[in-house]
Amino acid sequence: MKITVIIVSYNVKYYLEQCLISLKKALHGIDSEVFVVDNHSRDGSMAYLRKRFNSCLLYTSPSP
């Protein structure tokens, strides 16, 4: 059984980073996957997270 975590974010780079750090620790040794769906943030969070959390699957919503 695999645990899937889905996080929806919008302009919360710092909090999202802290969340993913905690998840990484909590899911250590557990078959899991983490999806982050960004709601078109303008704080650079997706570019920042792509560099730091390459094991997460990152999705950005299309521009309105």
Side-chain angles (χ1 to χ4, degrees):
M1 175 185 256
K2 181 182 267 190
I3 294 176
T4 300
V5 178
I6 302 170
I7 302 168
V8 179
S9 70
Y10 177 71
N11 289 333
V12 291
K13 179 167 72 174
Y14 173 77
Y15 298 110
L16 185 54
E17 177 185 30
Q18 297 306 307
C19 177
L20 292 173
I21 290 169
S22 295
L23 271 173
K24 185 177 179 179
K25 291 177 186 176
L27 295 173
H28 180 74
I30 298 173
D31 188 19
S32 61
E33 60 189 354
V34 178
F35 292 87
V36 176
V37 180
D38 182 69
N39 196 13
H40 200 61
S41 294
R42 294 188 168 102
D43 65 351
S45 53
M46 286 293 101
Y48 178 74
L49 294 175
R50 277 191 183 93
K51 295 177 187 175
R52 299 226 34 222
F53 298 95
N54 57 2
S55 62
C56 294
L57 299 165
L58 305 174
Y59 297 95
T60 303
S61 64
S63 299

